[in-house]
Amino acid sequence: VPEIPIAALNHFDFCPYRCYLMFVVCEFEDNAYTLEGTRLHQRSDTPGQSQRGEITQFRSIWLSSETYGLYGRADVIEMKNDQIYPVEHKRGKKGDWRNDQLQLCAQALCLEEMLKIRIPTAYLYYAESHQREEVSLDSALRDYTIQTIENVRALLVDSRPPAAIYGKRCKGCSLYNSCLPREMMRAREYVLKEEDQ
Ligand code: SF4
């Protein structure tokens, strides 16, 4: 049974075909968005500890869960009084998808298992808007995360490509040229039309 990188959940939720390209075919291309994301992560990817008032921050912490077969790295784990929670740093501003919440919840599931605690809330930090979003780790988000872990595991085991469906998200996708979803969609439509004649 394959272990699942936490980042794969985020990519699967954004687009299953992108997840397939990255984690089955092992293909990755940078674009302006991913390079900006890498630059942003440079500080949080450097292991270390710092103090901000009553908050202690631990950067670049490895996480894993035997229960869910997950592993990955949290940008930042914060400790405030008796609370411990992950903070995931993101480029840009809050998007239309739940992929960031999903990734954060998966980090919290690992941390809960490792520390034997319950984490009710965690945070997303969006660099462009400098906003921190509090994310409630409620049962709906937990269920959605666990279901996505199973979906990604099935994708890794099955190794068959899911459909590449052209949509709004393709505009910023660094793998567009490997996928060509709009061109493939047009080609499929053309073939179907020819078959009908
Ligand atoms: S271009 Fe669109 S369909 Fe293709 S991998 Fe990216 S998001 Fe998915």
Side-chain angles (χ1 to χ4, degrees), residues 56 78-85 117-118 120-121 123:
T56 309
E78 284 189 355
M79 188 166 69
K80 182 183 178 189
N81 302 323
D82 59 348
Q83 293 175 310
I84 298 179
Y85 47 85
I117 56 171
R118 184 81 172 166
T121 51
Y123 294 86

Side-chain angles (χ1 to χ4, degrees), residues 14-15 17-18 21 164-165 169-170 173 175-176 179 181:
F14 181 73
C15 169
Y17 191 68
R18 181 177 167 87
L21 287 177
I165 298 167
R169 63 199 163 179
C170 298
C173 179
L175 295 178
Y176 189 96
C179 175

Side-chain angles (χ1 to χ4, degrees), residues 188-197:
R188 276 196 301 272
E189 283 169 3
Y190 178 78
V191 170
L192 285 174
K193 217 158 84 186
E194 288 291 301
E195 283 174 357
D196 277 354
Q197 284 172 0

